[in-house]
Amino acid sequence: MNTRKQRNGTIARSGEDDEEDFGALNIDDIIQQHVEEGDEYNEVEEEEEEGEEEEHGYPEPPSRVRQLPELLHSAGCVESIDGIPDIPIENVITCNSDNGSNNSLYVCVPSEDGEEDGHDWANEAGELGAVAVLAARPLPDCVLPVVVVDDLMLALAQVAAEFYEYPATAMNTVAFVGSYGKTTASWLTRGVFEENEELTLMIGNTEYAIAEDRLTREGDVWVADEEDPTVNRDCSVPFHIVPYKGKYELPLTTPDGLHLQKVLAGGADRGAESAVVEVCPASLDDKRAAAFKPGIVVFTNASEEKAYYDGKIFDEYLESVGEMFASLDASQVAILNIDDPYADSLRRLVEDTGAQMLTYGVTSKNADVYAEKVKSSIWETEILVKTPVGRLEIIVPLVGEFNVSNVLAAVSVGLARGIKLVNIVAGIEAVDIIPGRCELVEEGQPFPVIVDASKTPQQLSRLIDDVKEAGARKTILVMGCPGSTPVEHRSAMGNMSHFKADIVFLTNDSPGVCPPDRIINDIVSGMPEEVTGRHAGSYHNWLQDPHRVPQWFQPWLLRYQSEVGRYIIEDRFSAIRVAIGLAKPKDVVIIAGRGHVDNMEYWDGISPLPDYPNTRESPESIEGNFFEDPGLSASDSEDGATTTVLGWFDDRVEARNAVAKLRYLNGIKDLDRSTIPWTRYPEEREQSGLSATVGSEAAAASGQYLGDYLRNVVDENREAARLEDDSDEDDALNDEFESLDMM
């Protein structure tokens, strides 16, 4: 049974109920005020507020109008306004914009996928309401007035910030920059701000949102443009694609230079008091954050592996992070994770800027904020946090040292903001779920199910290690690789999963146009010879999905997979349910790779398949992040092009549905779920060939090698099936196939 402690209180108390927030960003003053106000750290019960929280009624966003010469000059894009037509500008657009409006300024930056040159669409921009063009080169054939600037990407960020009145400075804005941990730390910080009764804007990997309302990248409140067919569904359907319609489109972690300012303005214009922004280092090279000035910048960590998978050279990756901290000034605060070796160089950069600095660390006891004591279970983590003003005890439904670091980051932000300590603790503990980030699926079952976005060998290895250290009896892993990933990555994931997890289920993960069995084979290739070389004389490859082999061979295939605890079920719906059905008390089921993503991409089954794009390329030969889709779409495809379709599939939804159905499985008398296929009676287990020694014992009794024995059995079965379709033996095989459907 779940042993997680349920608490309605916090551990921390600060002053009286009418105590004011400390407000300022002067850390020394904040700490002194904490001490003077008499912050204490005792467990108190949080009184439940009666009534429902009032829904936010947002003010109408203002209309903005700027004259073109003044806008460009104020933004720092031009030194002289001579020759620039005096045109009113009411909007800024690019070829990446979702919609236009009258009196827009069109900026000729490339498309997001890098395939299109924005200059090629300058004339067409007039159809979207553009009245002027900002370009990197002269456009003599353009019908609109053109202003040429030296650095177009920088100019876009500057013009957007100027036009939208530097919205980051209108709010208490925090930016999290680093390889990993940004999403978790951002959600925990958002919890702190909301506990402090601040209307908070979120810009990150999972959503752009203010309060409960999601925003588009244009900064508008998102409204579905078509009906969602899954709204009343508890789960998807096995072996079928559920239409993906009426859903919120998952955004870029960090929007481009224009849309970053638009979303920030969308929050500030609607009354947001605080903003939490994830900044991906790999995206900084196009200067999208050049005009972004948050009050607090938090460095989480820098991973060479993440830079590699983002298609970046690590030194350039670090340089981008360094430039962001080197640009700080005395009005800003830098918060550094000094457990990371790169923090020392950042510290030196920050010291030269005059910005204030706060440090945190799990293992670095010289940090301003550090973990004095950590106690983990497979359900939760208790952290005793030492701060400059005393200790805090925080309990979160997250596992592992890495998440301890994320908690410390949120504590540090709260301390830098001068938020009451009781609100810091209560805000962090109020965050029950971080979408797809070590997300605990808990429905009363005696083992945790964790849904996590880990999709690199380093990420997944760390997660499994953390779960084991927390006391897991066995780790049961469900994972796959997207069709856009190269074979080297798939092989590395197979190798890591084999050596780290106790039981592994290989399954689909948005295969796109790449055949699922090809992806599985690439993953299996990373497993050692002691696995892949077993049963070399088998009539069929046994490391594949049972539905890809003849029915008579399925019992043998499942027996071989059960021997090593490495199962292949391509249908992710089924794989999740079998993995959860296999789990026992104190096991931990990890469903990895997709996290909060709620769709999968599949070949449409009609268009011709290409020669498996990207599967044989190395990361160095791929531009950008190879976790992104291959850029194929189900709509408006040219003749002969391979197209894909999106289907609704959410690991979190499927896991909850599977856990909820456990009570039915538990009610089936004598059902043995310790191996696959699940069986009820001894004769079923003997008939299925899954008894651990039946094959080798029979081979020894016949005086044959196991491989020869199996080939003979196969030939006999095939001959019997051919001669008598309705034979008893064939009926037994059909019964066995039906038992597979129970899974």
Side-chain angles (χ1 to χ4, degrees):
M1 196 66 184
N2 181 359
T3 58
R4 183 175 173 225
K5 298 177 183 177
Q6 300 296 321
R7 304 202 317 166
N8 293 320
T10 63
I11 296 185
R13 181 168 61 83
S14 57
E16 301 299 326
D17 292 341
D18 60 352
E19 179 185 4
E20 296 293 330
D21 286 0
F22 298 110
L25 288 177
N26 188 307
I27 294 173
D28 292 335
D29 290 346
I30 290 170
I31 294 172
Q32 183 61 33
Q33 283 190 273
H34 272 288
V35 174
E36 291 176 355
E37 295 289 346
D39 265 328
E40 299 175 3
Y41 305 87
N42 302 308
E43 185 166 6
V44 298
E45 292 297 317
E46 180 183 7
E47 295 182 3
E48 296 185 5
E49 298 181 1
E50 296 182 0
E52 297 182 357
E53 181 180 331
E54 292 184 2
E55 294 185 358
H56 292 286
Y58 305 121
E60 187 70 22
S63 298
R64 292 181 169 88
V65 181
R66 299 286 293 272
Q67 295 303 118
L68 180 60
E70 183 267 337
L71 172 63
L72 297 181
H73 186 265
S74 298
C77 299
V78 297
E79 294 182 0
S80 171
I81 62 173
D82 292 343
I84 300 176
D86 192 21
I87 302 173
I89 299 298
E90 300 179 16
N91 190 16
V92 182
I93 62 174
T94 70
C95 64
N96 299 311
S97 296
D98 296 328
N99 48 57
S101 63
N102 292 334
N103 297 324
S104 293
L105 172 64
Y106 175 74
V107 186
C108 299
V109 295
S111 61
E112 287 179 348
D113 59 10
E115 297 294 325
E116 303 289 342
D117 183 348
H119 293 83
D120 296 339
W121 302 95
N123 278 329
E124 285 76 2
E127 299 175 8
L128 296 177
V131 293
V133 174
L134 195 63
R137 62 175 185 266
L139 299 173
D141 296 330
C142 185
V143 298
L144 299 174
V146 178
V147 179
V148 178
V149 295
D150 294 331
D151 190 332
L152 190 60
M153 300 303 292
L154 176 62
L156 174 65
Q158 292 173 327
V159 167
E162 176 68 27
F163 184 80
Y164 290 104
E165 304 171 86
Y166 298 91
T169 62
M171 301 174 285
N172 293 306
T173 302
V174 181
F176 288 89
V177 58
S179 299
Y180 299 127
K182 300 185 298 295
T183 301
T184 300
S186 294
W187 275 78
L188 295 174
T189 300
R190 180 188 193 179
V192 172
F193 290 166
E194 291 180 344
E195 184 68 24
N196 202 45
E197 298 183 349
E198 299 176 15
L199 183 59
T200 303
L201 170 70
M202 164 74 80
I203 300 177
N205 183 259
T206 58
E207 64 182 10
Y208 305 158
I210 179 172
E212 301 300 321
D213 295 309
R214 287 172 163 175
L215 302 180
T216 70
R217 64 178 180 173
E218 299 294 332
D220 302 319
V221 174
W222 176 78
V223 178
D225 57 2
E226 57 184 340
E227 185 178 353
D228 180 359
T230 72
V231 68
N232 293 319
R233 297 190 65 94
D234 294 329
C235 62
S236 64
V237 182
F239 306 105
H240 288 78
I241 298 175
V242 179
Y244 188 77
K245 298 179 180 179
K247 299 286 189 182
Y248 179 73
E249 182 179 351
L250 295 175
L252 293 173
T253 300
T254 310
D256 62 45
L258 170 61
H259 293 101
L260 174 60
Q261 301 298 336
K262 283 194 170 188
V263 180
L264 285 166
D269 291 346
R270 291 176 175 83
E273 301 159 89
S274 300
V276 181
V277 182
E278 295 181 46
V279 178
C280 179
S283 67
L284 293 175
D285 55 2
D286 67 1
K287 303 180 182 178
R288 66 184 60 194
F292 172 50
K293 188 177 180 181
I296 300 174
V297 182
V298 183
F299 169 68
T300 59
N301 50 69
S303 165
E304 188 168 0
E305 181 201 52
K306 186 63 164 63
Y308 173 76
Y309 281 117
D310 284 339
K312 304 295 180 180
I313 298 172
F314 190 51
D315 288 343
E316 297 176 355
Y317 190 86
L318 295 178
E319 184 179 350
S320 296
V321 176
E323 288 176 356
M324 188 168 187
F325 282 88
S327 68
L328 301 180
D329 60 37
S331 68
Q332 295 171 282
V333 176
I335 298 178
L336 306 179
N337 172 16
I338 61 172
D339 287 338
D340 190 280
Y342 185 56
D344 287 339
S345 60
L346 290 181
R347 185 200 293 265
R348 291 190 292 271
L349 290 174
V350 173
E351 288 172 348
D352 292 338
T353 66
Q356 297 178 75
M357 184 163 45
L358 193 66
T359 61
Y360 70 92
V362 178
T363 60
S364 301
K365 303 307 180 186
N366 60 330
D368 297 316
V369 178
Y370 66 88
E372 192 170 56
K373 185 178 179 181
V374 177
K375 181 181 178 182
S376 296
S377 74
I378 57 177
W379 296 98
E380 67 183 12
T381 300
E382 299 181 43
I383 312 164
L384 184 62
V385 182
K386 181 68 168 62
T387 76
V389 293
R391 293 176 174 81
L392 302 173
E393 183 180 350
I394 300 174
I395 301 178
V396 291
L398 300 168
V399 178
E401 180 180 299
F402 201 75
N403 281 312
V404 174
S405 183
N406 295 328
V407 170
L408 297 180
V411 170
S412 299
V413 171
L415 184 62
R417 275 285 318 279
I419 294 175
K420 295 177 182 180
L421 299 173
V422 66
N423 288 347
I424 293 175
V425 179
I428 291 173
E429 292 191 337
V431 182
D432 290 329
I433 290 175
I434 300 168
R437 299 307 189 274
C438 204
E439 183 173 342
L440 180 66
V441 176
E442 179 187 356
E443 301 290 341
Q445 77 277 13
F447 55 86
V449 176
I450 294 174
V451 177
D452 193 80
S454 298
K455 56 189 175 184
T456 69
Q458 185 184 66
Q459 284 180 300
L460 196 49
S461 175
R462 182 177 59 234
L463 175 61
I464 295 173
D465 286 343
D466 286 341
V467 167
K468 287 182 176 180
E469 291 175 8
R473 189 185 73 91
K474 281 186 178 181
T475 52
I476 302 174
L477 173 65
V478 180
M479 58 83 65
C481 291
S484 58
T485 54
V487 65
E488 292 90 342
H489 168 76
R490 299 172 190 172
S491 178
M493 291 293 284
N495 183 271
M496 186 285 309
S497 63
H498 172 77
F499 286 106
K500 290 289 186 176
D502 297 302
I503 298 173
V504 179
F505 286 85
L506 301 183
T507 189
N508 282 342
D509 181 350
S510 200
V513 298
C514 190
D517 59 329
R518 173 65 177 271
I519 299 173
I520 295 293
N521 287 340
D522 289 341
I523 298 173
V524 168
S525 70
M527 294 184 178
E529 179 69 19
E530 64 190 54
V531 173
T532 59
R534 294 170 69 98
H535 309 298
S538 175
Y539 203 86
H540 291 279
N541 172 23
W542 59 277
L543 281 169
Q544 61 177 317
D545 187 282
H547 294 90
R548 291 190 179 273
V549 301
Q551 183 176 324
W552 55 261
F553 186 73
Q554 290 175 355
W556 297 105
L557 178 146
L558 293 172
R559 176 200 166 193
Y560 298 157
Q561 293 185 4
S562 294
E563 287 177 352
V564 294
R566 303 294 178 261
Y567 301 99
I568 297 169
I569 303 177
E570 291 177 16
D571 180 55
R572 197 174 181 96
F573 178 100
S574 302
I576 288 173
R577 283 154 178 80
V578 176
I580 289 175
L582 209 64
K584 296 180 179 179
K586 298 185 179 180
D587 289 346
V588 177
V589 178
I590 300 172
I591 304 172
R594 301 191 54 75
H596 65 287
V597 178
D598 64 350
N599 64 73
M600 292 220 292
E601 186 180 28
Y602 308 87
W603 173 47
D604 65 358
I606 301 173
S607 57
L609 278 172
D611 188 18
Y612 317 132
N614 291 345
T615 59
R616 291 292 170 184
E617 297 183 56
S618 63
E620 290 85 354
S621 66
I622 300 173
E623 283 192 22
N625 184 343
F626 65 66
F627 286 114
E628 297 173 357
D629 63 61
L632 302 173
S633 171
S635 60
D636 301 326
S637 62
E638 298 179 1
D639 292 341
T642 303
T643 57
T644 58
V645 294
L646 284 180
W648 175 62
F649 195 94
D650 190 325
D651 283 353
R652 302 165 297 170
V653 172
E654 304 301 332
R656 287 189 176 88
N657 179 262
V659 168
K661 298 295 176 61
L662 281 175
R663 66 181 185 273
Y664 299 113
L665 289 177
N666 295 335
I668 300 176
K669 185 179 180 181
D670 297 328
L671 180 63
D672 181 4
R673 305 202 308 266
S674 61
T675 189
I676 300 176
W678 299 342
T679 54
R680 294 186 64 184
Y681 309 110
E683 55 269 25
E684 285 184 346
R685 289 187 275 279
E686 183 178 349
Q687 182 186 63
S688 69
L690 294 177
S691 176
T693 60
V694 62
S696 58
E697 289 180 353
S702 66
Q704 303 178 68
Y705 289 112
L706 180 58
D708 293 336
Y709 170 77
L710 293 180
R711 277 189 287 272
N712 290 335
V713 170
V714 166
D715 291 340
E716 292 172 2
N717 287 343
R718 296 182 68 180
E719 181 66 13
R722 187 182 69 82
L723 295 175
E724 189 175 357
D725 291 338
D726 296 326
S727 66
D728 292 339
E729 182 174 345
D730 191 57
D731 289 339
L733 289 172
N734 287 331
D735 291 340
E736 185 57 33
F737 184 73
E738 291 175 2
S739 74
L740 291 175
D741 288 341
M742 292 175 59
M743 297 189 303

